[in-house]
């Protein structure tokens, strides 16, 4: 299994791995990549016409009017977010907790990054009143808040923000002159899509929200890095070629040489076209991880620890604060020590809450569900086609071991 390097204690170096599906690559995608393997040219900066057309169709199908000239592609979400922050300028606000890779992008640019508390019912979206108070405080201290990052389907908490909260937070952000960057990487991983309503900020405030989507969320392997961004088609800033955030983003990506690999472009375009095999795999994978995450969630609650019910993604976020006495007896007093203890005990990376912007003194950690699916491709494929994957012997055994590791902390 993957191990975390002992030096990887900070917010950047050896950061925690993104939760992976733990499933084999779709044959059709592998065939397209293999066919394009002889391509020697990379995709143009921002993506070629075929890739951007496919991205446009992806958003059209979700009710967002999009044309190829509104889209930018990059080799992964990290360089794309870096370019977006650079293009917009100003200080950055984001929820606490937030994805581990967000804060480093702002700090690498020398931008202040402020974390805003989330409401009790979900993560990913700041509490609107806390957001307004933070904006006022930052301005009073001489800062210049310009950007709000949020994720309606969230890493690390696995929750999905209710539409009314998204609306209130976006209304507050727009009223304060903030541009919204909505990371929707996990939107195709809803565990129960018929019972979960996900609304994009771009649907509510079309001129004030840029949408980021990493294909590694559900459509393509993380080993083939490709992420896309949709810019507001009719925003007034788009009419000024010197202030156009899309053009400025392209400038940054070009300067970095951050271009999509030539063979990856056709495979990414095929995945964004969402043929049946891709959509079926995404739905099956989401349902599988949903059932396993629900079982892991029950194991967390059984120990007396706390965790919001996961509704998306391949992870859940637990607060082991109620187990502090038992943890202290084992020499665990903060999230860094908790990360080291759980990683060693479970044999797989368990990043602590400090990596996601939570206080070091808190005892929070993110657990990934992909490691519970089995060690071989055959077992993971078996889990994918099972209606009750949590009852398969190898997954049941992994869940039992997971529960035992938590139970001994009491």
């Amino acid at each position: 299994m993957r191990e975390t390097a002992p030096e990887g204690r900070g917010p950047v170096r050896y950061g925690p791995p993104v939760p992976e599906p733990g499933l084999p690559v779709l044959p059709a995608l592998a065939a397209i990549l293999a066919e394009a393997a002889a391509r020697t040219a990379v995709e143009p900066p921002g993506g070629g016409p075929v890739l951007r057309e496919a991205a446009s169709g992806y958003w059209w199908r979700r009710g967002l009017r999009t044309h190829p000239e509104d889209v930018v592609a990059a080799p992964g979400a990290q360089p794309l977010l870096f370019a977006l922050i650079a293009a917009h300028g100003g200080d950055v606000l984001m929820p606490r907790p937030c994805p581990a890779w967000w804060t480093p992008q702002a700090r690498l640019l020398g931008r202040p990054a402020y974390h805003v508390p989330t409401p009790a019912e979900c993560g990913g979206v700041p509490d609107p009143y806390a957001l307004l108070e933070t904006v006022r405080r930052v301005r009073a201290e001489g800062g210049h808040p310009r950007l709000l990052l949020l994720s309606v389907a969230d890493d690390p908490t696995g929750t999905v923000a209710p539409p009314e909260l998204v609306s209130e937070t976006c209304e507050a952000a727009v009223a304060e002159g903030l541009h919204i960057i909505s990371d929707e990487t996990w939107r195709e991983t809803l565990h129960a899509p018929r019972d979960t309503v996900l609304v994009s900020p771009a649907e509510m405030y079309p001129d004030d929200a840029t949408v980021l989507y990493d294909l590694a969320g559900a459509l393509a392997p993380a080993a083939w890095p490709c992420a896309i961004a949709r810019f507001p088609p009719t925003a007034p800033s788009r009419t000024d070629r010197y202030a156009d955030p899309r053009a400025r983003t392209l400038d940054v990506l070009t300067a970095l040489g951050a271009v999509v690999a030539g063979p990856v472009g056709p495979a990414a375009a095929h995945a964004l076209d969402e043929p049946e095999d891709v959509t079926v795999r995404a739905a099956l994978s989401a349902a599988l991880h949903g059932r396993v995450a629900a079982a892991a969630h029950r194991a967390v609650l059984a120990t007396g620890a706390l965790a919001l019910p996961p509704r998306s993604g391949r992870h859940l976020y637990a607060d082991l604060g109620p187990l502090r006495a038992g943890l202290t007896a084992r020499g665990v007093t903060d999230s860094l020590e908790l990360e080291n203890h759980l990683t060693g005990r479970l044999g797989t990376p368990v990043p602590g809450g400090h990596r996601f912007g939570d206080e070091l003194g808190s005892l929070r950690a993110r657990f990934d569900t992909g490691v519970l699916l089995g060690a071989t491709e055959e077992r993971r494929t078996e889990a994918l086609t099972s209606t009750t994957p949590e009852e398969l012997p190898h997954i049941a055994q992994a869940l039992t071991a997971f529960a035992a590791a938590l139970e001994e902390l009491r």
Side-chain angles (χ1 to χ4, degrees):
M1 291 186 180
R2 300 167 301 177
E3 295 290 345
T4 300
E7 299 87 353
R9 300 173 182 267
V12 177
R13 185 174 299 175
Y14 310 123
V18 175
E20 296 179 2
L23 298 170
V25 177
L26 282 170
L29 286 179
I32 292 171
L33 185 76
E35 185 178 350
R39 286 184 60 174
T40 58
V42 297
E43 290 278 315
V50 174
L51 179 54
R52 289 185 291 111
E53 184 69 39
S56 300
Y58 171 84
W59 276 305
W60 269 108
R61 291 188 293 276
R62 284 149 185 82
L64 296 176
R65 185 177 59 140
T66 311
H67 298 93
E69 59 268 23
D70 305 321
V71 174
V72 161
Q78 289 88 343
L80 184 51
L81 180 61
F82 182 92
L84 288 170
I85 295 173
H88 283 89
D91 300 346
V92 184
L93 287 81
M94 59 188 73
R96 170 179 281 132
C98 67
W101 56 276
W102 280 8
T103 305
Q105 306 303 315
R107 290 181 176 167
L108 286 170
L109 285 164
R111 303 283 177 77
Y114 300 93
H115 292 88
V116 185
T118 55
E121 67 265 30
C122 70
V125 176
D127 177 87
Y129 299 103
L131 175 65
L132 291 171
E133 178 59 30
T134 302
V135 169
R136 284 192 285 266
R137 175 175 58 82
V138 170
R139 286 180 175 150
E141 295 173 354
H144 303 282
R146 292 282 301 279
L147 278 177
L148 171 64
L149 307 186
L150 54 78
S151 54
V152 287
D154 183 44
D155 171 21
T157 66
T159 58
V160 177
E164 58 271 19
L165 172 65
V166 178
S167 177
E168 292 171 5
T169 299
C170 291
E171 181 181 11
V174 172
E176 293 296 332
L178 304 180
H179 186 76
I180 300 162
I181 296 179
S182 177
D183 180 0
E184 299 179 11
T185 293
W186 302 102
R187 67 171 298 145
E188 311 305 332
T189 66
L190 301 185
H191 301 164
R194 295 183 179 179
D195 301 324
T196 308
V197 179
L198 186 151
V199 178
S200 170
E203 299 177 59
M204 302 175 175
Y205 293 90
D207 291 342
D208 300 289
T210 297
V211 181
L212 183 153
Y213 180 70
D214 188 344
L215 274 69
L219 301 184
W224 309 352
C226 184
I228 52 176
R230 175 198 179 270
F231 293 82
T234 58
S237 61
R238 296 290 304 277
T239 62
D240 182 351
R241 66 188 183 94
Y242 295 104
D244 180 4
R246 180 181 182 273
R248 293 173 62 85
T249 299
L250 279 172
D251 287 342
V252 176
L253 292 173
T254 302
L256 294 174
V259 293
V260 177
V264 171
H270 179 79
L272 286 166
D273 284 335
E274 296 182 291
E276 184 178 5
D277 60 336
V278 171
T279 57
V280 168
R281 164 61 71 83
L284 289 174
S285 176
L288 166 61
H289 284 277
R291 294 189 68 94
V292 175
H297 180 250
R298 291 191 293 270
V300 169
L301 297 185
T303 67
L306 305 173
L308 290 170
R311 306 295 185 195
S312 66
R314 303 184 281 266
H315 48 274
L316 74 155
Y317 197 59
D319 181 357
L320 304 185
L323 310 181
R324 185 175 293 273
L327 286 165
T328 301
R330 290 165 174 76
V332 176
T333 60
D334 59 29
S335 65
L336 192 152
E337 292 170 345
L338 179 65
E339 173 181 301
N340 291 340
H341 176 81
L342 290 174
T343 296
R345 176 64 178 81
L346 295 172
T348 189
V350 183
H354 61 287
R355 295 185 180 271
F356 306 103
D358 266 330
E359 297 293 337
L360 181 63
S362 66
L363 292 172
R364 299 188 178 98
R366 187 190 70 188
F367 297 99
D368 298 357
T369 53
V371 298
L372 301 172
L373 302 185
T376 66
E377 184 173 308
E378 291 75 15
R379 285 189 167 182
R380 295 191 293 268
T381 301
E382 180 186 10
L384 186 67
T385 57
S386 172
T387 56
T388 54
E390 69 277 17
E391 297 178 5
L392 293 173
H394 67 279
I395 294 183
Q397 182 179 3
L399 286 168
T400 299
F402 172 76
L406 296 178
E407 188 66 28
E408 67 186 28
L409 300 178
R410 298 177 71 173

